[in-house]
Amino acid sequence: GTDNAGETIHDGSSCPVLLQKIRATSKKLNLKPHIVKNKQMYTAVDVEGHVGKDNRHYIIDTARAFPPSAPIQGITGAQHLWNFLRPELVQAYEVPLSSDAFCAFGRHDQAIHNKEVQEATDCLMNQVIPTFASEMDAEYSAHRVDTDEVRVILAHLPVLMR
């Protein structure tokens, strides 16, 4: 990753053991490998991997570890810094998604990465959430639902809830 806003990009090749752990984790999370400044990245470029003085591996700056949702039209600003797809949706999605979609770091194959994240966002908005709402309505419209019961139900679904 980078610790200086992309001026220098480290691809992890200096520590093969840490790099393998990052690759394996990214694969489990369904994150798409992508190129940033000719370096292969497995999560957002600003996620950093370090080997501590204790020889243990540490990952820091994980705020953008997951892909952003597609930008909402009419809202200005760097939405890719605060509007993310939930890990459950990313893991369940049919194709891996780039954490650097819709940001300046994701220029290489940008159209492809952005299209995939746009499609995942559309799936969330047009299929996952409406299906969930219909199921909730059908299941619980006849009686009042306790807040704790709703939390349990939501915890198991790949929907965007905060």
Side-chain angles (χ1 to χ4, degrees):
T2 184
D3 60 1
N4 58 11
E7 190 173 317
T8 307
I9 306 288
H10 303 279
D11 63 4
S13 58
S14 63
C15 184
V17 174
L18 177 58
L19 179 58
Q20 182 53 39
K21 289 180 179 182
I22 292 170
R23 277 189 197 140
T25 301
S26 294
K27 185 173 180 145
K28 285 181 184 179
L29 297 174
N30 204 28
L31 298 176
K32 185 178 187 178
H34 58 283
I35 304 295
V36 176
K37 291 189 175 181
N38 297 317
K39 305 277 178 127
Q40 183 83 40
M41 297 285 108
Y42 296 92
T43 185
V45 72
D46 40 0
V47 172
E48 300 174 36
H50 295 275
V51 178
K53 291 182 181 180
D54 58 0
N55 285 323
R56 292 172 53 184
H57 300 123
Y58 296 90
I59 302 295
I60 63 170
D61 293 343
T62 59
R64 287 192 337 101
F66 283 91
S69 58
I72 300 167
Q73 298 301 317
I75 295 179
T76 59
Q79 293 179 47
H80 69 281
L81 296 177
W82 53 267
N83 200 9
F84 303 98
L85 295 172
R86 285 183 55 96
E88 297 89 345
L89 178 70
V90 175
Q91 282 184 292
Y93 197 64
E94 60 197 35
V95 298
L97 300 171
S98 172
S99 297
D100 284 321
F102 292 105
C103 83
F105 291 124
R107 289 188 186 116
H108 186 270
D109 289 334
Q110 184 175 39
I112 295 167
H113 301 314
N114 290 357
K115 180 177 183 274
E116 291 167 344
V117 169
Q118 179 68 58
E119 289 170 350
T121 302
D122 291 345
C123 176
L124 174 67
M125 301 304 286
N126 301 323
Q127 295 174 22
V128 174
I129 292 174
T131 298
F132 168 73
S134 292
E135 290 173 1
M136 287 291 289
D137 187 50
E139 182 74 24
Y140 299 103
S141 62
H143 69 282
R144 184 178 171 97
V145 180
D146 155 302
T147 306
D148 290 330
E149 188 176 5
V150 172
R151 281 192 194 111
V152 169
I153 294 164
L154 292 177
H156 300 290
L157 297 170
V159 296
L160 185 60
M161 299 297 292
R162 303 223 190 251

